[in-house]
Amino acid sequence: MLTAAIDTEPRVTDTATGIRIEADLPVELTETEHAAVLAALATADRFGHSLTRTTEFVWAEISSEVTMTTTESPDAAYRALLGHTTTCGACRAGAICDDATKLVRAWRDTRG
């Protein structure tokens, strides 16, 4: 989702508790890119923004510890989200998509 939002390849690192994703931000973000970055970050368990002297980047952490609270599998919910975002014109353009927002919430609900 970050790649689609800002056309950059994020760095992915395995951690003891899950994965960490970092993506450098361009100097200027359009309103559409900004909304898409925020939507992507909202799918993570923890996320943030860092600014150093040389770069500005966002980060997201996704925990490997999942507590099931519903009968739907997190994998099925995530596949539904990915299926939507890869075919939806609004999502691919980085625009805010109500359907994607609902799918993100459903996926997060299955993760506990």
Side-chain angles (χ1 to χ4, degrees), residues 17-100:
T17 59
I19 61 170
R20 181 178 172 98
I21 302 158
E22 296 179 354
D24 293 330
L25 294 173
V27 175
E28 294 290 326
L29 282 176
T30 67
E31 191 173 318
T32 300
E33 290 169 330
H34 185 255
V37 167
L38 292 177
L41 294 176
T43 65
D45 295 312
R46 290 170 299 286
F47 58 88
H49 172 257
S50 295
L51 178 65
T52 69
R53 285 189 221 179
T54 58
T55 189
E56 182 175 12
F57 64 96
V58 292
W59 58 268
E61 293 179 349
I62 300 171
S63 175
S64 58
E65 296 180 21
V66 176
T67 304
M68 295 296 293
T69 58
T70 69
T71 57
E72 185 177 359
S73 153
D75 290 340
Y78 188 65
R79 281 193 301 275
L81 172 62
L82 284 180
H84 173 79
T85 58
T86 58
T87 59
C88 173
C91 290
R92 291 179 56 86
I96 295 173
C97 173
D98 291 336
D99 291 335

